[in-house]
Amino acid sequence: MTTAISKLRTGHVGLNVTDLERSLVFYRDALDFQVLGEGKEEGRRFAFLGRDGELVLTLWQQAEGAYAPAAAGLHHLAFSADAVESVRAYEERLRGLGVAFAYEGVVAHREGAASGGIFFHDPDGIRLEISVPTGAEDAPAPTAGAPTCGFFS
């Protein structure tokens, strides 16, 4: 008798950060995450972030420098929204917080795609995306012949 293996899905994502307080403010104010738990012991600072009690993101204060896009590891972290209007609402909120964007406004994931979103960076330079599967049909594709989320700066 063999045991059935269930389909895997992403659980939570853990990020190393240089300044936990700064990152907590960003993820709370910019993306509406709530602190579900926190470690405040010197040398072991961390936070569990989520929504409605569900863990989504963990932050670990153990990075010594900013995100390095050319290093092996995390390429970018993508969040899904329910509608392109939600993506635009996040864009407005992020602009109000002074966040810099990789592209101007909502962009398509590739030429002719219905999916797309916004691309930006957290305080440590970690690349982030908020996107939708449809609704970006009329948005530009900034990187010809390649996925937008693959080469944003």
Side-chain angles (χ1 to χ4, degrees):
M1 183 171 148
T2 60
T3 303
I5 297 176
S6 65
K7 182 178 174 183
L8 294 178
R9 67 176 185 85
T10 303
H12 69 276
V13 173
L15 300 176
N16 284 338
V17 299
T18 58
D19 181 332
L20 184 63
E21 290 304 319
R22 178 180 70 173
S23 293
L24 279 173
V25 168
F26 174 82
Y27 284 99
R28 181 195 66 216
D29 294 354
L31 302 178
D32 280 335
F33 285 118
Q34 302 152 346
V35 177
L36 304 178
E38 191 172 356
K40 298 182 179 185
E41 180 183 329
E42 189 60 38
R44 293 187 172 277
R45 306 237 14 248
F46 63 89
F48 298 143
L49 304 177
R51 286 207 181 116
D52 302 321
E54 182 179 347
L55 179 63
V56 175
L57 187 64
T58 60
L59 303 176
W60 307 92
Q61 185 173 298
Q62 57 187 4
E64 294 181 9
Y67 174 76
L74 179 74
H75 181 275
H76 73 284
L77 175 56
F79 297 101
S80 296
D82 58 351
V84 73
E85 292 79 18
S86 293
V87 175
R88 288 194 175 100
Y90 275 110
E91 177 189 8
E92 184 177 331
R93 173 185 290 181
L94 292 163
R95 286 196 191 285
L97 294 170
V99 172
F101 289 79
Y103 308 112
E104 187 59 39
V106 173
V107 296
H109 277 134
R110 61 177 167 68
E111 295 169 309
S115 64
I118 55 174
F119 299 84
F120 54 101
H121 299 83
D122 85 347
D124 283 307
I126 296 170
R127 301 185 291 192
L128 303 171
E129 168 186 352
I130 300 175
S131 63
V132 289
T134 61
E137 293 86 351
D138 297 325
T143 308
T148 301
C149 61
F151 298 100
F152 67 100
S153 54

